[in-house]
Structure formats: C-alpha cells, structure tokens
Amino acid sequence: MILTLTPNPSVDRTVALDGELSRGQVHRVASVTSQAGGKGVNISRAAVSADIPSIAVVPAAKDDPFVLELLGAGIDCRPVQPAGDVRVNLTITEPDGTTTKLNSPGAAVLPLHLELMAQAVLVRASSADWTVLAGSLPAGAPAGFYADLVRRLHEVGGRVAVDTSEAPLQALVDALSHSAPDLMKPNGEELASFTGADADELESDPAATAAAARQLVDRGVGAVLATLGGNGAVLVTSEGAWHASPPPTTVVSTVGAGDSSLFGYLLGDIRGLPAPERLALAVAYGSAAAGLPGTTIPQPSQVRPDLVGVTAFGGTA
C-alpha cells in the first residue's frame, strides 16, 4: 500500500491553446479540463490504475467535490479538517508542449490543521510500503514541517519518500542528520539549489547530477531519484548510480510527469525490482505522462520500460 499526504492540494485546471501563448493578446482555447490534483493525489491515482492500494490524506471537507471525485475514481481518500477551500491551479499548454503554470497559495493553516494531517499519516504509516510526502506547503506552515514529519514517521516505522521544493526542501536538507528520508525526488534545478551545482549543467550532464545526488546519499538519504526532463533521470543509492534515457516522446504536457516518475520507482520497489529496473520504470512512467494532456496519469499499458536505456556509472555493478 502507498500512503500519500498532499498538504496543499489543488483543483488542477488545464487550458489547451491551439497556438503559441502571447502576453497581452486574446487567445482561442482548444479545450479545458479540470481534475482534483496535487502531487500526492497524482501518485495515489497512478497507484490505483496499477492495482496498488493507496490511501490519500488531504485537507478538505468530507463533502467537498474534490473528495467526492477521488472517491469516485476508486481512491481511498481520507480528508482532514481544512483551513479553507481547496485552491485552484491553472496550467496553460501550447501545441509544442510548452507549459505555463499559475499556482495559487491556498488557505493559510494553523498548527491544528498541520497536526491533524500529521496524525492522519502517522496512524497509517506502519501498514504502508511507502509513505509519500509531496508538494508545496500551504501558507502558514513552517518550512520544517516535512522534516519533522519524516522524523516522526521513522519512529513509527515504514519508509518515507519526499518530493518538494524551495524552502521545505531546503529545511529537509538542513535536517538530514535526523530526518533523512528513504527516497528524495528532486529535479535538476532543485538539486542545484542546495548542492551549489549549476542547474543547467545538472539538467544536461547526468554524471554531474549523480555527483550532486551522491552528497545526499552520503548524508543518510536512502536513494535519490533526480529527474532531468528530456534527459531522463539519475538514480543514486549506496550501492551505485545509474542514468536512464527516455524513449522517444511527443511532449503534450509535462505537468504531473515527475509525480508519475516517482510512482514508477515506488512500483518497481514494491515489485522487488533491482535498482536499474526501478529507474527504467520511473522514466517510462514519466515519459508516458509527458505524452498525455493535462495531469493525466498513464495507464500501465501505456508504460514501456523496455524502451528505456539504463547505463551504470563507473564502478556500479
């Protein structure tokens, strides 16, 4: 079972244009889609589509359409008391795959709301193969919320994966001595933000990415899955490091591709696959998601790990 926490969920509204976006101009819209989303929610969707049980903890009212949509999709959604309405995020996609995101902050939370979310996760973590803490934090939450929750989760047992950015990511890195997760999934820009590396170099140079990710593993992180967009992904563990090149993909929308990559890795782990095959499944899921509109999660039949090339870095078995 995969347990997910999305502290700052969103209604993801995707507007597809039939031409290039131009500031200050009137555009014709080809289509508009809306879906209950957020990083953890996306991972729970992917799990259900792959017949992996998943529980999604979100701050929302029990009768909120957001919750009802997830329940209708077969996701075991466990809502906790929210600070306000679920926010709305807007994504604008262009025919060439260029994506523009406008994310709203969400309602400001109080310590009570944060503790309700934490408790909802802590009481279920010991029965989960993985607990995933994913996405941004709502306004009012301390940057160290994830780092503190990782420490508390390790006390009750179970493995923890974290996918976040900006201040919460930096706070987690600062607390690795006592809050190192079992898996982190930064992208190149995020990895550069706290390792001192150049973001453009990491995005284009898998070896440099592996060296930067190694810093986290050396500080106690179990594994680092660094996604590099069109350049695939790098996996670093205590046993070695690998780079996976994605299959040819016509990019439609990159929104949610990273979430699908993370799920692919977790699925490979649950299946008992070795590290290179976990990485291949992660990249296959991310590539399949990038070829679909909006935040659509790929079905297992659309995922082709056999088309992903995996290369070990020197010294890796």
Side-chain angles (χ1 to χ4, degrees), residues 94-118:
E94 301 172 49
D96 66 354
T98 300
T99 301
T100 302
K101 295 194 67 176
L102 303 173
N103 291 348
S104 56
V109 297
L110 299 173
L112 165 68
H113 302 115
L114 296 172
E115 185 58 23
L116 288 173
M117 285 189 275

Side-chain angles (χ1 to χ4, degrees), residues 148-172:
D148 182 63
L149 187 50
V150 169
R151 176 187 59 78
R152 296 171 70 181
L153 283 165
H154 281 159
E155 292 174 355
V156 301
R159 293 176 295 171
V160 186
V162 181
D163 182 8
T164 189
S165 60
E166 299 179 347
L169 176 60
Q170 185 62 59
L172 178 64

Side-chain angles (χ1 to χ4, degrees), residues 195-212:
T195 60
D198 179 77
D200 291 337
E201 180 185 7
L202 295 189
E203 290 284 354
S204 61
D205 184 354
T209 300

Side-chain angles (χ1 to χ4, degrees), residues 296-308:
T296 305
I297 300 298
Q299 297 297 310
S301 61
Q302 298 172 302
V303 178
R304 296 291 305 274
D306 56 305
L307 298 180
V308 176

Side-chain angles (χ1 to χ4, degrees), residues 1-305:
M1 190 267 284
I2 295 176
L3 172 65
T4 67
L5 171 63
T6 309
N8 203 17
S10 61
V11 175
D12 290 336
R13 192 158 295 151
T14 301
V15 176
L17 302 181
D18 56 10
E20 183 179 338
L21 176 66
S22 179
R23 288 183 61 199
Q25 301 300 311
V26 175
H27 295 277
R28 300 221 176 260
V29 173
S31 66
V32 179
T33 59
S34 188
Q35 185 177 63
K39 283 184 169 295
V41 168
N42 292 341
I43 291 168
S44 287
R45 282 188 187 277
V48 169
S49 73
D51 294 325
I52 299 295
S54 182
I55 294 175
V57 176
V58 297
K62 292 181 179 180
D63 59 351
D64 191 302
F66 184 97
V67 173
L68 300 179
E69 179 185 328
L70 296 184
L71 293 173
I75 297 170
D76 186 356
C77 182
R78 304 299 177 96
V80 298
Q81 180 182 336
D85 294 336
V86 176
R87 64 189 178 132
V88 176
N89 287 344
L90 179 64
T91 299
I92 303 171
T93 63
E94 301 172 49
D96 66 354
T98 300
T99 301
T100 302
K101 295 194 67 176
L102 303 173
N103 291 348
S104 56
V109 297
L110 299 173
L112 165 68
H113 302 115
L114 296 172
E115 185 58 23
L116 288 173
M117 285 189 275
Q119 288 298 328
V121 171
L122 289 166
V123 298
R124 298 176 173 91
S126 62
S127 61
D129 290 277
W130 282 94
T131 297
V132 182
L133 312 179
S136 63
L137 295 178
F145 174 72
Y146 280 147
D148 182 63
L149 187 50
V150 169
R151 176 187 59 78
R152 296 171 70 181
L153 283 165
H154 281 159
E155 292 174 355
V156 301
R159 293 176 295 171
V160 186
V162 181
D163 182 8
T164 189
S165 60
E166 299 179 347
L169 176 60
Q170 185 62 59
L172 178 64
V173 171
D174 291 342
L176 287 181
S177 61
H178 56 274
S179 295
D182 300 277
L183 174 66
M184 291 179 65
K185 196 216 72 63
N187 59 30
E189 182 177 356
E190 291 160 353
L191 192 58
S193 70
F194 54 81
T195 60
D198 179 77
D200 291 337
E201 180 185 7
L202 295 189
E203 290 284 354
S204 61
D205 184 354
T209 300
R214 175 64 60 188
Q215 297 180 36
L216 297 177
V217 174
D218 289 344
R219 295 176 60 186
V221 178
V224 177
L225 175 66
T227 52
L228 303 175
N231 286 323
V234 166
L235 174 65
V236 179
T237 72
S238 60
E239 286 76 37
W242 301 263
H243 171 243
S245 300
T249 304
T250 300
V251 176
V252 177
S253 172
T254 58
V255 180
D259 306 332
S260 290
S261 292
L262 176 52
F263 170 71
Y265 181 89
L266 299 179
L267 178 61
D269 177 83
I270 291 172
R271 289 177 173 172
L273 299 181
E277 293 180 35
R278 297 197 299 269
L279 176 59
L281 194 55
V283 170
Y285 256 94
S287 298
L292 298 172
T295 56
T296 305
I297 300 298
Q299 297 297 310
S301 61
Q302 298 172 302
V303 178
R304 296 291 305 274

